[in-house]
Amino acid sequence: MKVPFSWLKEYVDIDITAQELETRLFGCGFEVEELIDLGAEISRVVVGKVLSCEKVEGTHLFTCQVNCGEYGTKQIVTGAPNVYAGMHTPAALDGSTLPGGITIKAKPLHGIPSDGMLCSGDELGINEDMYPGAEVNGLLDLPKDTEPGADIREIVGLNDYIFDISVTANRPDCQSVLGIAREVAAVLGKELKMPATDFHPCEYTYPGLEVTVEAPDLCPRYLAHGVRNITPGESPRWMRRNLALCGLRSINSVVDITNYVMLEIGQPMHAFDMETLQNNRIVVRRAEDGESIQTLDEKEFKLTHDNLVICDGNRPVALAGIMGGLNSEITADTKQLLFEAAKFARDSVRKTSRSLGQSSDSSARFEKGISEYTTELGMARALHLIEELGCGEVTSSAFDVSAGASREGRKFDARLSRINGILGIEVPAEDVLRILKNLCFEVEMDGDVLHVTAPRYREDIEVGEPDLAEEIIREYGYEHVVPTFLKNAAVTGGGRTPDQLRREKVKRAMCAQGYSEVSTLAFYSDGDLDALHIAPDAPERNVIRLMNPITSKLTIMRPLLAPSLLNITVENLKRGNEDGRIFELSNIYIPKRMGELPEERLHLGLAAFGDAEDFFTVKGGIEGLGEAFGVRFDVERASDVPWLHPGIAAYILCEGERIGVFGKLANEVTGELKLHKDSKANHKIFLGEIDYGTLMSHVAASFRYRPISVFPPVLRDLALTVNEEVTCGDMMKEIARACPRVSDVELFDIYRGEQIGEGRKSMAFKIRFESGETALQPEEVDKFIKKILGNLKFKLGAEIR
């Protein structure tokens, strides 16, 4: 929010510099994102008085002798058509600078020496609202009482600053110049000068005019006041200047008043042309489904029952809290108007603004919150300005429709000892009283008890002592806070927890296998589950839905990591990245009973894509993860995972328990991704997902290492015939079970042929036997082989080839 320094001074006698005020505001909780010096880019530009002006024959130029005060008389050549002898105008001297990084140098024009340049308002970066005559086609004509040599920034009002302040969501009372002025007055210990709000209505009332609120839950307070004999004209310079400093152009006095009150008081205002209202009524209600409105920016919207509208007797004339309707706008012919000031429910305005994609300065303020006090003050200020500017006559047609909220500030008791306990320091009672009174709290002290009444505009004050502690410390000064232990605190060794160390180890292990970590949003849509062909009644469809999603693509909390990783993979392939390996260690969300927080379960997801990837490269990476934690993974065929190829997918087992799944993306799913047909990686996408908690339940809390045998391992090859339905995984599992000395089993050949027989196949394995404290003898290895063959024949019907 932009706040001009000069405007703040209208409410508070500020006796410090803008830079000092920036520091003080930051100290009391307001971040000044930028302090804009309006004249920062202008230097050595002064008031010049044109002593003489002679036409240069054959050109459009004039040679002028210009009195620049203490800088002497300068000869300046100009082509401005409105220059004349006796004119006071800005003169940019040799070496001066102008907005946009322009530097002025003394140099001849048409061979005539020129010691600078005479300036227009546009060249100084100002408009008609900032200074009268600034938009004239020619030089800026200054008043004759301006002193030659005076700094032009002071003359045209560029010796000012703009505070660009970030107002937090919990301080809606500060989204106005007056709101910031209250804080400045408190921090400087100065008196706040309130803007004038008095007005004198005539006796006239509009016959039959009615105002009703049919949705008090969405509009707890609605004020309306009639004004007649409207004569819109040009606003006074002080109003146009303040609007311009905040980034708004002046339109006419009536429209400017509504914008001025919004910036000054923080109350968005709207005015209806009464002659356009049908049935002489204003009704605040929910829109009917399918009802439409065309707003002032000429956009048309279809509305639903969730949208709040302001209607006349028959149709919507404004989108509540967002923008007025084109059918009731103020025009040059408007003679009778109805001012509106209201308090609308924050969530209603926010939802309507997002759902319709329509926002405004008004909606931004209503979304943070407007107090009923601000509504009253804004209406009174607007009516006062109508009288002050003489652009209308305030009538006695006044309406105040309220849902019955209290007209007093929130009252509560707080204990000073508890406030000091929260802060961890002792703030003297006299400082507490001084601070709270400076912040417009009504306070009476009875021993340790404070009887407090919060200002009506401070609707954020809710929980007594914690809120008061925050108010006190930001004014008392955070520098008074000293480090101290909490009541039950204890000194610890610091560092990472065992779980944090395990998570880091998982990430290092995945990186060692060539995977890069990614981080995705915890949300996606039902369409992402549809893309994986997950059945409507699958457990993964039991999801947590967002009540107010940001977009239609982020509507549910994810029950799987696979869709998120697939989206990243597809995005890379579409951008020409033909291969890659990615992983993510993050939560999935499983709903519980209504009213309970969801279960957040940590999963490890992985994706590999590219021409070089296959089932075994991915399997190798997963086995590398197991080795890092000293566990061994087994696999079994997974033919019932809808998003994986039924013949190229496997469940991951650890000590016989399923901990995850991996495999090639199903052909049907791949075919629907609409990837480039020439891409070699189109049919080489592999996904996997591991339940981190289940994996860690099989990992020992600490590792016990055994020395590597000094004797070499023994390698043996076995070629076995089995029935066609026996899988490689089954064979490897039984070989490992049969002998504890087996450290590794590797399939290196599969053969089918007439020699093997119908319905059978041959598989050849390389088996590694580890030696112990003594070298393995051939007869020992023979016993191991015999036991393995017996186990395979009994369990799987295998025969040695």
Side-chain angles (χ1 to χ4, degrees), residues 574-613:
K574 287 182 177 179
R575 295 186 178 185
N577 299 326
E578 292 286 334
D579 55 73
R581 291 183 170 189
I582 58 176
F583 79 94
E584 180 175 14
L585 182 63
S586 192
N587 284 330
I588 65 166
Y589 302 88
I590 302 171
K592 294 182 179 179
R593 291 180 300 178
M594 182 65 69
E596 292 186 13
L597 293 175
E599 177 186 354
E600 299 184 34
R601 187 177 297 172
L602 200 60
H603 271 208
L604 172 66
L606 59 94
F609 56 96
D611 194 45
E613 299 292 352

Side-chain angles (χ1 to χ4, degrees), residues 204-428:
Y204 178 81
T205 59
Y206 287 101
L209 181 62
E210 294 181 16
V211 175
T212 57
V213 176
E214 296 180 357
D217 55 325
L218 302 185
C219 179
R221 188 82 182 273
Y222 190 91
L223 303 182
H225 206 117
V227 179
R228 69 173 183 170
N229 300 329
I230 295 298
T231 55
E234 184 179 67
S235 299
R237 182 188 170 191
W238 57 267
M239 179 175 283
R240 289 187 286 120
R241 172 180 166 78
N242 284 340
L243 290 174
L245 291 176
C246 293
L248 297 180
R249 289 301 302 262
S250 173
I251 299 174
N252 61 54
S253 55
V254 175
V255 176
D256 289 352
I257 285 172
T258 62
N259 288 330
Y260 193 84
V261 170
M262 179 180 68
L263 295 174
E264 181 187 41
I265 307 298
Q267 174 64 51
M269 300 283 297
H270 188 64
F272 301 103
D273 185 339
M274 290 194 61
E275 294 181 1
T276 67
L277 299 180
Q278 298 180 4
N279 295 340
N280 215 23
R281 294 184 64 200
I282 286 290
V283 182
V284 185
R285 61 170 173 81
R286 294 177 182 270
E288 298 175 1
D289 289 332
E291 200 168 22
S292 64
I293 185 173
Q294 190 174 19
T295 50
L296 289 171
D297 56 1
E298 299 184 358
K299 295 180 182 178
E300 187 162 348
F301 299 97
K302 292 290 184 183
L303 307 177
T304 70
H305 189 66
D306 294 328
N307 306 135
L308 185 68
V309 290
I310 314 298
C311 304
D312 58 14
N314 299 318
R315 62 201 173 145
V317 292
L319 202 53
I322 299 175
M323 192 173 291
L326 191 63
N327 52 13
S328 62
E329 71 171 328
I330 303 299
T331 67
D333 298 326
T334 298
K335 299 301 179 185
Q336 320 289 331
L337 63 80
L338 187 69
F339 266 135
E340 166 196 277
K343 173 182 172 66
F344 298 118
R346 290 178 292 180
D347 56 341
S348 173
V349 176
R350 182 172 59 251
K351 289 176 182 178
T352 297
S353 177
R354 289 186 178 181
S355 64
L356 299 180
Q358 181 78 337
S359 61
S360 63
D361 290 339
S362 295
S363 66
R365 284 170 167 79
F366 278 118
E367 286 178 21
K368 288 185 178 179
I370 298 292
S371 69
E372 293 194 26
Y373 170 82
T374 304
T375 300
E376 296 171 8
L377 185 65
M379 177 62 81
R381 179 61 170 160
L383 297 176
H384 169 85
L385 291 173
I386 286 286
E387 283 192 357
E388 182 178 340
L389 273 57
C391 55
E393 183 181 10
V394 180
T395 73
S396 294
S397 288
F399 301 87
D400 184 350
V401 184
S402 173
S406 172
R407 302 295 170 87
E408 297 182 352
R410 184 174 285 108
K411 298 178 182 291
F412 57 91
D413 291 341
R415 290 189 175 275
L416 181 59
S417 57
R418 291 180 182 173
I419 293 174
N420 287 331
I422 293 170
L423 298 176
I425 58 175
E426 292 291 329
V427 182

Side-chain angles (χ1 to χ4, degrees), residues 502-503 505-506 509 624-631 695-696 699-700 703:
R502 284 194 296 270
R503 295 188 191 193
K505 188 172 182 178
V506 168
L625 171 66
E627 290 177 1
F629 284 90
V631 295
L695 168 61
M696 288 300 127
V699 174
F703 292 119

Side-chain angles (χ1 to χ4, degrees), residues 149-220:
D151 190 334
I152 196 65
R153 292 176 296 184
E154 297 181 6
I155 301 301
V156 299
L158 290 177
N159 58 335
D160 202 354
Y161 293 87
I162 305 292
F163 293 85
D164 191 353
I165 301 175
S166 176
V167 179
T168 54
N170 67 319
R171 291 302 306 273
D173 60 295
C174 290
Q175 51 187 352
S176 65
V177 179
L178 180 62
I180 297 297
R182 290 192 194 105
E183 296 297 319
V184 172
V187 76
L188 298 181
K190 302 281 188 178
E191 180 183 354
L192 177 68
K193 293 178 281 188
M194 290 291 290
T197 56
D198 59 301
F199 60 92
H200 308 87
C202 66
E203 295 182 359
Y204 178 81
T205 59
Y206 287 101
L209 181 62
E210 294 181 16
V211 175
T212 57
V213 176
E214 296 180 357
D217 55 325
L218 302 185
C219 179

Side-chain angles (χ1 to χ4, degrees), residues 18 69 114 213 314 355 357 400 472 520 531 553 561 584 683:
S114 180
V213 176
N314 299 318
S355 64
D400 184 350
I472 291 166
T520 63
K553 295 183 179 179
L561 294 183
E584 180 175 14
H683 303 291

Side-chain angles (χ1 to χ4, degrees), residues 49-71:
K49 179 179 181 181
V50 180
L51 302 176
S52 65
C53 177
E54 297 181 4
K55 176 82 170 169
V56 179
E57 293 296 330
T59 71
H60 69 291
L61 301 176
F62 297 88
T63 302
C64 303
Q65 300 299 320
V66 183
N67 175 14
C68 297
E70 63 180 284
Y71 298 97

Side-chain angles (χ1 to χ4, degrees), residues 541-737:
R541 293 287 186 171
N542 182 24
V543 296
I544 301 162
R545 300 193 176 275
L546 303 185
M547 295 180 63
N548 187 27
I550 297 175
T551 74
S552 60
K553 295 183 179 179
L554 302 172
T555 57
I556 61 175
M557 300 188 76
R558 62 185 175 198
L560 284 174
L561 294 183
S564 300
L565 294 172
L566 179 59
N567 289 337
I568 296 292
T569 300
V570 170
E571 189 68 23
N572 274 274
L573 290 171
K574 287 182 177 179
R575 295 186 178 185
N577 299 326
E578 292 286 334
D579 55 73
R581 291 183 170 189
I582 58 176
F583 79 94
E584 180 175 14
L585 182 63
S586 192
N587 284 330
I588 65 166
Y589 302 88
I590 302 171
K592 294 182 179 179
R593 291 180 300 178
M594 182 65 69
E596 292 186 13
L597 293 175
E599 177 186 354
E600 299 184 34
R601 187 177 297 172
L602 200 60
H603 271 208
L604 172 66
L606 59 94
F609 56 96
D611 194 45
E613 299 292 352
D614 60 24
F615 178 86
F616 295 102
T617 61
V618 179
K619 178 174 177 287
I622 294 172
E623 289 174 341
L625 171 66
E627 290 177 1
F629 284 90
V631 295
R632 181 188 181 94
F633 292 149
D634 295 315
V635 295
E636 66 180 12
R637 185 171 180 175
S639 59
D640 57 349
V641 181
W643 40 281
L644 296 179
H645 191 295
I648 316 176
Y651 287 112
I652 306 167
L653 283 73
C654 188
E655 297 179 346
E657 183 178 11
R658 285 183 183 177
I659 65 168
V661 68
F662 76 97
K664 181 177 177 293
L665 192 64
N667 293 341
E668 297 83 2
V669 177
T670 306
E672 295 170 359
L673 296 179
K674 298 180 181 180
L675 296 173
H676 196 276
K677 293 182 179 180
D678 296 334
S679 173
K680 295 181 180 179
N682 277 357
H683 303 291
K684 291 278 191 172
I685 300 176
F686 294 84
L687 294 176
E689 191 151 343
I690 297 174
D691 188 315
Y692 173 84
T694 307
L695 168 61
M696 288 300 127
S697 68
H698 295 279
V699 174
S702 60
F703 292 119
R704 298 186 64 184
Y705 295 93
R706 56 192 176 112
I708 298 175
S709 176
V710 298
F711 302 103
V714 175
L715 301 178
R716 290 290 178 89
D717 294 344
L718 278 182
L720 304 159
T721 64
V722 293
N723 291 332
E724 190 66 48
E725 64 271 11
V726 177
T727 66
C728 171
D730 294 335
M731 295 287 287
M732 295 172 69
K733 187 189 304 181
E734 294 304 328
I735 291 173
R737 284 179 179 176

